[in-house]
């Protein structure tokens, strides 16, 4: 009777793609995250730039801004309060990762309805009576934070929400947080434009030389004119202008005593009969 022969030991198979880190998946995740961040920066940059130049009766789309320029404009949102909020958020995430996840939720998550109600109250105060306009972003922010706190697991409450309810709450929180960020971007753009408009003398001074008279002379707005004589080709010299921006061969300028509600913005183009000089503004 033949005894069964032991089967030969199987050689260890090298770890396949399932056992080894997939560089393709990692690269795809990084590309997706980078695309989302770039799209968010573009959107916030458009919102900020539209509010900033809208104060000067200009549109950034007419100025010819591109994707990269809009994205870079979003960096104006990195103010000190925003950086402090980001640092606090990173500290909270670090504490959550180190095992302190039960401390914050049990103390704060119970009050998520109070946070949502407070945000709704601020939203009504701003929407109906235009109260606290400088903090109109606080309402959507509190509602979004309250909705997120409502889906955080707690020790004293058994999880009863289904996946659908949790997904809806997270989606709604994202919408309100996105709304809050949009309001912040628009408010900062308008605020920065107003600050620059109040200090026009600090902007780059634009001196215009022209072979013909231009409809720029306006002593009431601080724009002066000087005739240099027949011996000079560009005989008319205009001062008292401040540069807003230069785009596509066009120079957008305003008078030094410019007022947003009543005064115009000048659009000038350089040619053989018009020349510009840039001077430092008075500080």
């Amino acid at each position: 009777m033949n005894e069964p022969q032991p089967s030969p030991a199987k050689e260890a198979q090298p770890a396949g793609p399932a056992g080894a880190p997939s560089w393709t998946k990692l690269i795809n995740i990084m590309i997706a995250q980078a695309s989302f961040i770039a799209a968010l920066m573009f959107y916030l940059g458009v919102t900020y730039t539209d509010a900033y130049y809208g104060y000067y009766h200009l549109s950034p789309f007419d100025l010819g801004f591109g994707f990269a320029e809009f994205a870079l404009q979003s960096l104006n949102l990195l103010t000190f309060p925003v950086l402090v909020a980001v640092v606090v958020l990173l500290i909270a995430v670090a504490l959550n990762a180190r095992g302190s996840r039960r401390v914050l939720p049990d103390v704060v998550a119970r009050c998520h309805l109070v946070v949502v109600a407070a945000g709704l109250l601020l939203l009504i105060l701003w929407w109906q009576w235009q109260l606290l306009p400088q903090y109109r972003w606080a309402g959507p922010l509190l509602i979004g934070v309250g909705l997120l706190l409502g889906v955080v697991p707690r020790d004293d409450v058994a999880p009863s929400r289904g996946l659908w309810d949790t997904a809806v709450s997270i989606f709604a929180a994202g919408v309100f947080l996105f709304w809050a960020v949009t309001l912040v971007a628009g408010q900062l753009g308008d605020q920065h434009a107003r600050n620059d408009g109040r200090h026009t003398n600090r902007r780059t001074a634009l001196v215009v030389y022209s072979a013909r008279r231009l409809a720029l002379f306006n002593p009431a707005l601080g724009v002066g004119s000087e005739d240099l004589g027949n011996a000079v080709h560009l005989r008319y010299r205009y001062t008292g202008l401040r540069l807003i921006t230069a785009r596509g061969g066009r120079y957008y300028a305003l008078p030094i005593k410019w007022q947003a509600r009543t005064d115009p913005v000048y659009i000038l183009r350089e040619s053989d009969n018009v020349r510009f000089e840039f001077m430092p503004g008075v500080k």
Side-chain angles (χ1 to χ4, degrees):
M1 185 175 180
N2 295 331
E3 296 181 358
Q5 298 294 328
S7 60
K10 295 182 179 180
E11 295 182 1
Q13 297 295 330
S22 175
W23 292 105
T24 303
K25 292 182 179 180
L26 181 61
I27 292 175
N28 289 338
I29 292 174
M30 294 178 62
I31 291 176
Q33 292 177 347
S35 301
F36 174 77
I37 293 174
L40 181 62
M41 291 179 64
F42 171 76
Y43 174 78
L44 295 179
V46 169
T47 305
Y48 173 88
T49 309
D50 185 62
Y52 183 90
Y53 286 102
Y55 180 74
Y56 299 104
H57 321 303
L58 300 173
S59 171
F61 301 100
D62 295 334
L63 297 176
F65 278 82
F67 180 90
E69 292 172 299
F70 278 125
L72 291 176
Q73 288 294 329
S74 67
L75 299 179
N76 289 291
L77 274 67
L78 296 181
T79 58
F80 180 74
V82 174
L83 294 176
V84 171
V86 171
V87 171
V88 172
L89 178 62
L90 293 177
I91 294 175
V93 172
L95 291 176
N96 180 77
R98 286 180 170 272
S100 302
R101 59 179 302 179
R102 299 298 181 185
V103 177
L104 181 63
D106 288 345
V107 175
V108 180
R110 302 174 186 176
C111 304
H112 71 279
L113 291 179
V114 177
V115 177
V116 173
L120 184 60
L121 177 62
L122 290 178
L123 208 58
I124 294 175
L125 290 176
W126 167 64
W127 191 270
Q128 293 294 331
W129 296 284
Q130 297 293 321
L131 298 179
L132 303 174
Q134 67 274 24
Y135 299 108
R136 57 181 179 176
W137 49 266
L141 177 63
L142 289 178
I143 294 176
V145 172
L147 292 174
L148 289 179
L149 291 176
V151 300
V152 173
R154 291 164 46 188
D155 286 337
D156 58 344
V157 176
S160 59
R161 284 193 168 193
L163 180 60
W164 175 256
D165 295 336
T166 302
V168 170
S169 297
I170 294 177
F171 176 78
V175 171
F176 280 103
L177 293 177
F178 191 76
W179 184 13
V181 174
T182 302
L183 291 175
V184 169
Q187 181 176 331
L188 284 178
D190 182 74
Q191 179 182 340
H192 292 171
R194 291 179 183 274
N195 291 337
D196 293 343
R198 283 194 295 265
H199 304 285
T200 55
N201 58 330
R202 299 180 183 177
R203 307 184 74 103
T204 301
L206 182 67
V207 181
V208 181
Y209 292 87
S210 175
R212 300 178 179 178
R213 292 187 180 274
L214 302 177
L216 295 177
F217 179 64
N218 193 333
L221 297 180
V223 181
S225 176
E226 181 182 359
D227 188 350
L228 302 179
N230 294 327
V232 181
H233 173 59
L234 303 176
R235 60 182 294 182
Y236 299 104
R237 181 174 183 265
Y238 297 92
T239 58
L241 298 172
R242 294 296 183 267
L243 182 67
I244 301 176
T245 186
R247 306 288 305 177
R250 291 182 174 88
Y251 297 84
Y252 300 83
L254 47 79
I256 193 171
K257 297 180 180 180
W258 182 80
Q259 298 293 327
R261 294 180 179 271
T262 57
D263 300 333
V265 170
Y266 301 118
I267 304 176
L268 306 169
R269 176 179 290 181
E270 191 173 17
S271 65
D272 293 338
N273 294 322
V274 179
R275 180 170 61 85
F276 304 107
E277 287 185 356
F278 302 99
M279 305 288 290
V282 179
K283 296 184 178 180

